[in-house]
Structures are given as C-alpha cells and as structure tokens.
Amino acid sequence: MRCSSSAESRLDASPVRQPPSSTARASRALKKGARIDPPGYDAGKKIKGKKRHILVDTQGLLLHALVHPADVQDRDGGVWVMATLFGLHPFLLKLYADGGYQGPAFQAGLRRVCRGIQVEIVKRCDQTKGFAVLPKRWIVERTIAWLNRCRRLAKDWECRSRKALTFLHLASIRLMMRKLTQTTI
C-alpha cells in the first residue's frame, strides 16, 4: 500500500522527536530498585529481611521502635534505638534486655548516648531445656505477639524500612486504643 504524496510530505516535515528528559529516566529508575531498602541477612537466625528493635514500658506498650536491615547486630541496633530517643523519655531508669545485647560494645555505646540508664541483661538458665518464661523478657515477647496479629507485620511485606516502621506504629496505636476502650467487669 502506498501513501499519497501529501502524506509523505507531512511525515518528512514532522519535528524530530526529542529523547526523554533526565527526570523521566530518574523516575523510571526509582520504580525498579532504588526505592527498595536493602533487606540484609541475619546469619545467626538464617533469615533475610528486616529487624525491629522495640522499647516497651512495663505494661507492654510501645515507647520507641527502629526498623533496619537484618544484617545489623542486635547490640548495634540497641544502641541506635537508645540514641534516637533524643530525651523523649527522661524518666527511664532501668533497661531490661536479652542476651543479644550483652557485651562491652553495647555497654560502651549505651554509656555514650544514655548515661543515667542502668542495664540488666535477662539471661536464660543453662539447665533449662525447651521453653521457659524469663522474668521481664516475657513483656517484650507478649508485645511482639500482639503486634504480629496485624497482617501487615506478620511477614516482611514492606520495601522501605520507613514504611515498615509506620505500620509498626499504626499497629501500636491500634493496640493502645483497644486497651483504652476495654471495659472490665
């Protein structure tokens, strides 16, 4: 099929198409992998994803949280959590932590960022086999179980650590609202 001469002249006279602008390329690149935070790999637990470090009060309500890649050690993440408090809770006197936070690196980092807090490491007895309820540790484990009831927190669905932290805060708000509206008989 042949085009008429007037159609051919219109095709030849059309302006030359410009290449896409750099902003369009940048936004296209952001859709692929640049917006995804690296998940990390925890060799001790053999999981790929993110870790959540939470700070709760004695009732199990969330005071502060931090989400980061899983390849960050617990003791380093614990110092990050305490460093990002920025004096939000000056009434904190004692911190109970599990065995992952013991060691001179955590103690030194904590002394640098929070001088007035006493740390007590809750250790598991060597003779205990299987599951054992540890004093003060069950409060945090109970809070994690409450938060994991939310479907978005049960698995690592989020691509951004900031988004995962937002959903952690929303689940915590939901938990606090339920506790406030609960009636006891």
Side-chain angles (χ1 to χ4, degrees), residues 6 10 66 80 86 88 92 112 132 150 153 172 182 185:
S6 63
R10 273 187 276 146
L66 185 68
W80 287 355
F86 296 121
L88 291 174
L92 289 178
R112 265 195 326 262
C150 295
L153 297 178
S172 175
Q182 198 176 46
I185 298 177

Side-chain angles (χ1 to χ4, degrees), residues 86-139:
F86 296 121
L88 291 174
H89 307 288
F91 52 85
L92 289 178
L93 299 176
K94 194 163 194 175
L95 175 70
Y96 296 100
D98 69 346
Y101 297 101
Q102 69 185 12
F106 177 70
Q107 298 289 336
L110 197 61
R111 273 194 300 273
R112 265 195 326 262
V113 296
C114 302
R115 290 183 179 86
I117 296 180
Q118 179 188 1
V119 179
E120 182 178 327
I121 303 295
V122 179
K123 294 183 181 176
R124 184 183 160 117
C125 183
D126 291 336
Q127 290 115 6
T128 307
K129 294 188 181 197
F131 177 75
V133 178
L134 299 176
K136 303 295 181 187
R137 172 71 193 269
W138 65 270
I139 298 170

Side-chain angles (χ1 to χ4, degrees), residues 10-22:
R10 273 187 276 146
L11 288 174
D12 292 337
S14 65
V16 177
R17 184 172 178 163
Q18 297 292 326
S21 67
S22 62

